[in-house]
DNA sequence: TTTATTTCGGATAAATTTATCCTTTTTATG
DNA sequence: CATAAAAAGGATAAATTTATCCGAAATAAA
């Protein structure tokens, strides 16, 4: 479904969000330890999230990654997925055609569009705030 | 969503099914020409489908690939997807945990299970017969 | 039985994704 | 300003997926 990079990106964003609520910046080292991911690879993914203005980075001593507190509730999972994996999953044809075309549908189109639209709606209606709350309350987990 | 191999496998199965209705066996060459896929790679995927008893192969002159006519309505898309991509997509955790565990859910679990279950239901309720009918009637397409 | 045809299967290569390492740049603080 | 801390970015490597090639095995038909 999602690439490894995207899985790490989602988990990393949640962890950064949780820490940002406490005005605490985190490093790739802390992040990868928390979400159980390779550190250098995770750092690369963070660069992509920074470029897409999802995560903010502060260089130098006492720096690290953070997310503006007031943005956490506005950031949708769809933004993270699109930033890392592109928009093929959210808009592409299920059987690999260049575009999903209603006028020239693939064999699976009628069945696939419902699934894809439900997935897209889920990703667009799920915010970092929502996911971070579940972690903080102990309902869900970032590793193991 | 699906791997390239799986996309080819689905399209190939549909094309074989259509031809099998006319008692016509098809070769990897014909298949890859029809579904616009690399021939040798497609042949490898067909071997996997044969091993999983989804497609039947006949060696030698006048041989080729076919599907028992009475089986076409029984073969579900989920069988093809599982044979080629495994069962991670249908049963795995959306954030990459080894297993999807209700007792120890990942952050996305609550939102993800609905999508994944809908996808699985769709794949389990979609038969090759259904897909082949749409192609034959000109509603949908296998290439371009 | 010989021949032509066709799938099977192994080896290999190309492309992409995943992952690591190391140097440069930036910046807060002493 | 000097220093240490931290992200940025380039080069490279490992793993996986995608793709190609070729000889072996099987089989129908002449
Ligand atoms: S054309 Fe394939 S999903 Fe729409
Ligand atoms: S634990 Fe991740 S989807 Fe269920």
């Amino acid at each position: 479904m999602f690439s490894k990079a995207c899985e790490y990106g989602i988990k990393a964003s949640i962890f950064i969000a949780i820490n940002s609520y406490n005005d605490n910046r985190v490093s790739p080292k802390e992040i990868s330890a928390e979400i159980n991911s390779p550190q250098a690879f995770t750092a690369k993914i963070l660069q992509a999230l920074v470029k897409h203005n999802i995560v903010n980075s502060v260089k130098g001593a006492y720096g690290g990654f953070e997310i503006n507190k007031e943005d956490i509730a506005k950031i949708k999972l769809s933004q993270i997925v699109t930033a890392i994996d592109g928009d093929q999953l959210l808009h592409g044809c299920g059987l690999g055609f260049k575009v999903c075309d209603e006028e020239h549908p693939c064999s699976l189109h009628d069945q696939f569009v419902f699934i894809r639209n439900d997935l897209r709606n889920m990703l667009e209606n799920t915010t970092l705030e929502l996911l971070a709350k579940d972690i903080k309350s102990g309902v869900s987990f970032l590793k193991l």
Side-chain angles (χ1 to χ4, degrees), chain A residues 105-124:
Chain A
C106 74
S107 332
L108 199 55
H109 179 86
D110 289 352
Q111 291 83 359
F112 188 75
V113 287
F114 288 107
I115 304 296
R116 191 189 58 200
N117 289 345
D118 284 353
L119 172 63
R120 190 170 59 227
N121 287 336
M122 184 273 273
L123 295 175
E124 285 175 352

PDB file of all heavy atoms in Angstrom, chain A residues 105-124:
ATOM      1  N   PRO A 105     -12.045   3.411 -19.407  1.00  0.00           N
ATOM      2  CA  PRO A 105     -11.712   2.775 -18.129  1.00  0.00           C
ATOM      3  C   PRO A 105     -11.042   1.412 -18.291  1.00  0.00           C
ATOM      4  O   PRO A 105     -11.336   0.682 -19.243  1.00  0.00           O
ATOM      5  CB  PRO A 105     -13.082   2.616 -17.467  1.00  0.00           C
ATOM      6  CG  PRO A 105     -14.021   2.463 -18.610  1.00  0.00           C
ATOM      7  CD  PRO A 105     -13.489   3.335 -19.704  1.00  0.00           C
ATOM      8  N   CYS A 106     -10.159   1.078 -17.355  1.00  0.00           N
ATOM      9  CA  CYS A 106      -9.581  -0.266 -17.329  1.00  0.00           C
ATOM     10  C   CYS A 106     -10.643  -1.242 -16.807  1.00  0.00           C
ATOM     11  O   CYS A 106     -11.711  -0.834 -16.360  1.00  0.00           O
ATOM     12  CB  CYS A 106      -8.351  -0.298 -16.427  1.00  0.00           C
ATOM     13  SG  CYS A 106      -8.729  -0.231 -14.659  1.00  0.00           S
ATOM     14  N   SER A 107     -10.312  -2.515 -16.844  1.00  0.00           N
ATOM     15  CA  SER A 107     -11.289  -3.547 -16.474  1.00  0.00           C
ATOM     16  C   SER A 107     -11.734  -3.415 -15.019  1.00  0.00           C
ATOM     17  O   SER A 107     -12.837  -3.821 -14.677  1.00  0.00           O
ATOM     18  CB  SER A 107     -10.687  -4.935 -16.651  1.00  0.00           C
ATOM     19  OG  SER A 107      -9.705  -4.954 -17.632  1.00  0.00           O
ATOM     20  N   LEU A 108     -10.867  -2.879 -14.185  1.00  0.00           N
ATOM     21  CA  LEU A 108     -11.181  -2.854 -12.764  1.00  0.00           C
ATOM     22  C   LEU A 108     -11.764  -1.514 -12.323  1.00  0.00           C
ATOM     23  O   LEU A 108     -12.160  -1.344 -11.161  1.00  0.00           O
ATOM     24  CB  LEU A 108      -9.891  -3.161 -11.973  1.00  0.00           C
ATOM     25  CG  LEU A 108     -10.065  -3.627 -10.528  1.00  0.00           C
ATOM     26  CD1 LEU A 108     -10.982  -4.835 -10.455  1.00  0.00           C
ATOM     27  CD2 LEU A 108      -8.712  -3.929  -9.907  1.00  0.00           C
ATOM     28  N   HIS A 109     -11.834  -0.569 -13.255  1.00  0.00           N
ATOM     29  CA  HIS A 109     -12.207   0.796 -12.898  1.00  0.00           C
ATOM     30  C   HIS A 109     -13.436   0.902 -11.991  1.00  0.00           C
ATOM     31  O   HIS A 109     -13.352   1.508 -10.911  1.00  0.00           O
ATOM     32  CB  HIS A 109     -12.425   1.623 -14.165  1.00  0.00           C
ATOM     33  CG  HIS A 109     -12.844   3.035 -13.895  1.00  0.00           C
ATOM     34  ND1 HIS A 109     -11.943   4.049 -13.668  1.00  0.00           N
ATOM     35  CD2 HIS A 109     -14.071   3.599 -13.771  1.00  0.00           C
ATOM     36  CE1 HIS A 109     -12.590   5.173 -13.443  1.00  0.00           C
ATOM     37  NE2 HIS A 109     -13.891   4.933 -13.499  1.00  0.00           N
ATOM     38  N   ASP A 110     -14.561   0.338 -12.416  1.00  0.00           N
ATOM     39  CA  ASP A 110     -15.805   0.512 -11.655  1.00  0.00           C
ATOM     40  C   ASP A 110     -15.669   0.065 -10.207  1.00  0.00           C
ATOM     41  O   ASP A 110     -16.181   0.727  -9.295  1.00  0.00           O
ATOM     42  CB  ASP A 110     -16.944  -0.272 -12.317  1.00  0.00           C
ATOM     43  CG  ASP A 110     -17.367   0.368 -13.635  1.00  0.00           C
ATOM     44  OD1 ASP A 110     -16.894   1.476 -13.942  1.00  0.00           O
ATOM     45  OD2 ASP A 110     -18.161  -0.266 -14.364  1.00  0.00           O
ATOM     46  N   GLN A 111     -14.982  -1.048 -10.008  1.00  0.00           N
ATOM     47  CA  GLN A 111     -14.804  -1.556  -8.646  1.00  0.00           C
ATOM     48  C   GLN A 111     -13.741  -0.761  -7.897  1.00  0.00           C
ATOM     49  O   GLN A 111     -13.853  -0.541  -6.692  1.00  0.00           O
ATOM     50  CB  GLN A 111     -14.384  -3.037  -8.678  1.00  0.00           C
ATOM     51  CG  GLN A 111     -15.461  -4.010  -9.155  1.00  0.00           C
ATOM     52  CD  GLN A 111     -15.535  -4.104 -10.672  1.00  0.00           C
ATOM     53  OE1 GLN A 111     -14.796  -3.433 -11.393  1.00  0.00           O
ATOM     54  NE2 GLN A 111     -16.429  -4.937 -11.166  1.00  0.00           N
ATOM     55  N   PHE A 112     -12.714  -0.340  -8.637  1.00  0.00           N
ATOM     56  CA  PHE A 112     -11.559   0.276  -7.984  1.00  0.00           C
ATOM     57  C   PHE A 112     -11.805   1.696  -7.498  1.00  0.00           C
ATOM     58  O   PHE A 112     -11.322   2.084  -6.433  1.00  0.00           O
ATOM     59  CB  PHE A 112     -10.348   0.251  -8.924  1.00  0.00           C
ATOM     60  CG  PHE A 112      -9.062   0.688  -8.289  1.00  0.00           C
ATOM     61  CD1 PHE A 112      -8.381  -0.152  -7.419  1.00  0.00           C
ATOM     62  CD2 PHE A 112      -8.527   1.944  -8.552  1.00  0.00           C
ATOM     63  CE1 PHE A 112      -7.191   0.239  -6.825  1.00  0.00           C
ATOM     64  CE2 PHE A 112      -7.342   2.350  -7.952  1.00  0.00           C
ATOM     65  CZ  PHE A 112      -6.675   1.498  -7.095  1.00  0.00           C
ATOM     66  N   VAL A 113     -12.539   2.469  -8.260  1.00  0.00           N
ATOM     67  CA  VAL A 113     -12.710   3.878  -7.894  1.00  0.00           C
ATOM     68  C   VAL A 113     -13.334   4.063  -6.516  1.00  0.00           C
ATOM     69  O   VAL A 113     -12.971   4.987  -5.790  1.00  0.00           O
ATOM     70  CB  VAL A 113     -13.526   4.672  -8.946  1.00  0.00           C
ATOM     71  CG1 VAL A 113     -12.695   4.921 -10.188  1.00  0.00           C
ATOM     72  CG2 VAL A 113     -14.822   3.979  -9.265  1.00  0.00           C
ATOM     73  N   PHE A 114     -14.240   3.166  -6.139  1.00  0.00           N
ATOM     74  CA  PHE A 114     -14.843   3.295  -4.817  1.00  0.00           C
ATOM     75  C   PHE A 114     -13.788   3.127  -3.719  1.00  0.00           C
ATOM     76  O   PHE A 114     -13.745   3.912  -2.760  1.00  0.00           O
ATOM     77  CB  PHE A 114     -15.956   2.261  -4.630  1.00  0.00           C
ATOM     78  CG  PHE A 114     -17.181   2.567  -5.438  1.00  0.00           C
ATOM     79  CD1 PHE A 114     -17.494   1.819  -6.561  1.00  0.00           C
ATOM     80  CD2 PHE A 114     -18.021   3.616  -5.066  1.00  0.00           C
ATOM     81  CE1 PHE A 114     -18.626   2.105  -7.310  1.00  0.00           C
ATOM     82  CE2 PHE A 114     -19.161   3.906  -5.811  1.00  0.00           C
ATOM     83  CZ  PHE A 114     -19.458   3.150  -6.943  1.00  0.00           C
ATOM     84  N   ILE A 115     -12.981   2.117  -3.860  1.00  0.00           N
ATOM     85  CA  ILE A 115     -11.925   1.862  -2.873  1.00  0.00           C
ATOM     86  C   ILE A 115     -10.968   3.044  -2.809  1.00  0.00           C
ATOM     87  O   ILE A 115     -10.636   3.551  -1.739  1.00  0.00           O
ATOM     88  CB  ILE A 115     -11.156   0.576  -3.250  1.00  0.00           C
ATOM     89  CG1 ILE A 115     -12.093  -0.612  -3.390  1.00  0.00           C
ATOM     90  CG2 ILE A 115     -10.046   0.317  -2.231  1.00  0.00           C
ATOM     91  CD1 ILE A 115     -12.787  -1.001  -2.136  1.00  0.00           C
ATOM     92  N   ARG A 116     -10.529   3.468  -3.991  1.00  0.00           N
ATOM     93  CA  ARG A 116      -9.551   4.553  -4.042  1.00  0.00           C
ATOM     94  C   ARG A 116     -10.125   5.844  -3.463  1.00  0.00           C
ATOM     95  O   ARG A 116      -9.445   6.566  -2.736  1.00  0.00           O
ATOM     96  CB  ARG A 116      -9.107   4.780  -5.494  1.00  0.00           C
ATOM     97  CG  ARG A 116      -7.912   5.699  -5.639  1.00  0.00           C
ATOM     98  CD  ARG A 116      -7.681   6.052  -7.100  1.00  0.00           C
ATOM     99  NE  ARG A 116      -8.864   6.682  -7.668  1.00  0.00           N
ATOM    100  CZ  ARG A 116      -9.125   6.756  -8.971  1.00  0.00           C
ATOM    101  NH1 ARG A 116      -8.281   6.222  -9.843  1.00  0.00           N
ATOM    102  NH2 ARG A 116     -10.214   7.342  -9.407  1.00  0.00           N
ATOM    103  N   ASN A 117     -11.377   6.122  -3.750  1.00  0.00           N
ATOM    104  CA  ASN A 117     -11.996   7.332  -3.206  1.00  0.00           C
ATOM    105  C   ASN A 117     -12.160   7.242  -1.693  1.00  0.00           C
ATOM    106  O   ASN A 117     -11.940   8.229  -0.985  1.00  0.00           O
ATOM    107  CB  ASN A 117     -13.347   7.586  -3.873  1.00  0.00           C
ATOM    108  CG  ASN A 117     -13.188   8.024  -5.325  1.00  0.00           C
ATOM    109  OD1 ASN A 117     -12.092   8.395  -5.748  1.00  0.00           O
ATOM    110  ND2 ASN A 117     -14.267   7.960  -6.087  1.00  0.00           N
ATOM    111  N   ASP A 118     -12.505   6.059  -1.208  1.00  0.00           N
ATOM    112  CA  ASP A 118     -12.614   5.890   0.239  1.00  0.00           C
ATOM    113  C   ASP A 118     -11.246   6.088   0.897  1.00  0.00           C
ATOM    114  O   ASP A 118     -11.144   6.731   1.946  1.00  0.00           O
ATOM    115  CB  ASP A 118     -13.146   4.488   0.577  1.00  0.00           C
ATOM    116  CG  ASP A 118     -14.642   4.370   0.319  1.00  0.00           C
ATOM    117  OD1 ASP A 118     -15.270   5.407   0.019  1.00  0.00           O
ATOM    118  OD2 ASP A 118     -15.168   3.250   0.409  1.00  0.00           O
ATOM    119  N   LEU A 119     -10.224   5.534   0.266  1.00  0.00           N
ATOM    120  CA  LEU A 119      -8.866   5.696   0.796  1.00  0.00           C
ATOM    121  C   LEU A 119      -8.472   7.168   0.808  1.00  0.00           C
ATOM    122  O   LEU A 119      -7.953   7.679   1.799  1.00  0.00           O
ATOM    123  CB  LEU A 119      -7.881   4.889  -0.064  1.00  0.00           C
ATOM    124  CG  LEU A 119      -6.395   5.087   0.229  1.00  0.00           C
ATOM    125  CD1 LEU A 119      -6.052   4.641   1.648  1.00  0.00           C
ATOM    126  CD2 LEU A 119      -5.532   4.332  -0.784  1.00  0.00           C
ATOM    127  N   ARG A 120      -8.758   7.844  -0.298  1.00  0.00           N
ATOM    128  CA  ARG A 120      -8.400   9.265  -0.376  1.00  0.00           C
ATOM    129  C   ARG A 120      -9.151  10.079   0.669  1.00  0.00           C
ATOM    130  O   ARG A 120      -8.572  10.932   1.345  1.00  0.00           O
ATOM    131  CB  ARG A 120      -8.681   9.806  -1.783  1.00  0.00           C
ATOM    132  CG  ARG A 120      -8.099  11.200  -2.001  1.00  0.00           C
ATOM    133  CD  ARG A 120      -8.179  11.619  -3.461  1.00  0.00           C
ATOM    134  NE  ARG A 120      -9.546  11.614  -3.942  1.00  0.00           N
ATOM    135  CZ  ARG A 120      -9.945  11.077  -5.092  1.00  0.00           C
ATOM    136  NH1 ARG A 120      -9.077  10.479  -5.881  1.00  0.00           N
ATOM    137  NH2 ARG A 120     -11.201  11.123  -5.446  1.00  0.00           N
ATOM    138  N   ASN A 121     -10.432   9.808   0.826  1.00  0.00           N
ATOM    139  CA  ASN A 121     -11.213  10.519   1.843  1.00  0.00           C
ATOM    140  C   ASN A 121     -10.658  10.267   3.239  1.00  0.00           C
ATOM    141  O   ASN A 121     -10.558  11.194   4.041  1.00  0.00           O
ATOM    142  CB  ASN A 121     -12.677  10.077   1.791  1.00  0.00           C
ATOM    143  CG  ASN A 121     -13.395  10.640   0.579  1.00  0.00           C
ATOM    144  OD1 ASN A 121     -12.991  11.667   0.040  1.00  0.00           O
ATOM    145  ND2 ASN A 121     -14.432   9.956   0.137  1.00  0.00           N
ATOM    146  N   MET A 122     -10.297   9.029   3.492  1.00  0.00           N
ATOM    147  CA  MET A 122      -9.730   8.709   4.804  1.00  0.00           C
ATOM    148  C   MET A 122      -8.460   9.521   5.028  1.00  0.00           C
ATOM    149  O   MET A 122      -8.283  10.145   6.081  1.00  0.00           O
ATOM    150  CB  MET A 122      -9.434   7.204   4.882  1.00  0.00           C
ATOM    151  CG  MET A 122      -8.930   6.729   6.225  1.00  0.00           C
ATOM    152  SD  MET A 122      -7.146   6.850   6.415  1.00  0.00           S
ATOM    153  CE  MET A 122      -6.609   5.273   5.735  1.00  0.00           C
ATOM    154  N   LEU A 123      -7.577   9.544   4.037  1.00  0.00           N
ATOM    155  CA  LEU A 123      -6.309  10.255   4.185  1.00  0.00           C
ATOM    156  C   LEU A 123      -6.515  11.766   4.286  1.00  0.00           C
ATOM    157  O   LEU A 123      -5.746  12.469   4.940  1.00  0.00           O
ATOM    158  CB  LEU A 123      -5.373   9.923   3.024  1.00  0.00           C
ATOM    159  CG  LEU A 123      -4.908   8.463   2.944  1.00  0.00           C
ATOM    160  CD1 LEU A 123      -4.092   8.220   1.676  1.00  0.00           C
ATOM    161  CD2 LEU A 123      -4.098   8.079   4.179  1.00  0.00           C
ATOM    162  N   GLU A 124      -7.570  12.253   3.638  1.00  0.00           N
ATOM    163  CA  GLU A 124      -7.826  13.693   3.679  1.00  0.00           C
ATOM    164  C   GLU A 124      -8.550  14.119   4.953  1.00  0.00           C
ATOM    165  O   GLU A 124      -8.562  15.295   5.304  1.00  0.00           O
ATOM    166  CB  GLU A 124      -8.624  14.113   2.429  1.00  0.00           C
ATOM    167  CG  GLU A 124      -7.751  14.145   1.182  1.00  0.00           C
ATOM    168  CD  GLU A 124      -8.538  14.446  -0.095  1.00  0.00           C
ATOM    169  OE1 GLU A 124      -9.781  14.484  -0.040  1.00  0.00           O
ATOM    170  OE2 GLU A 124      -7.881  14.608  -1.147  1.00  0.00           O
TER     171      GLU A 124
END
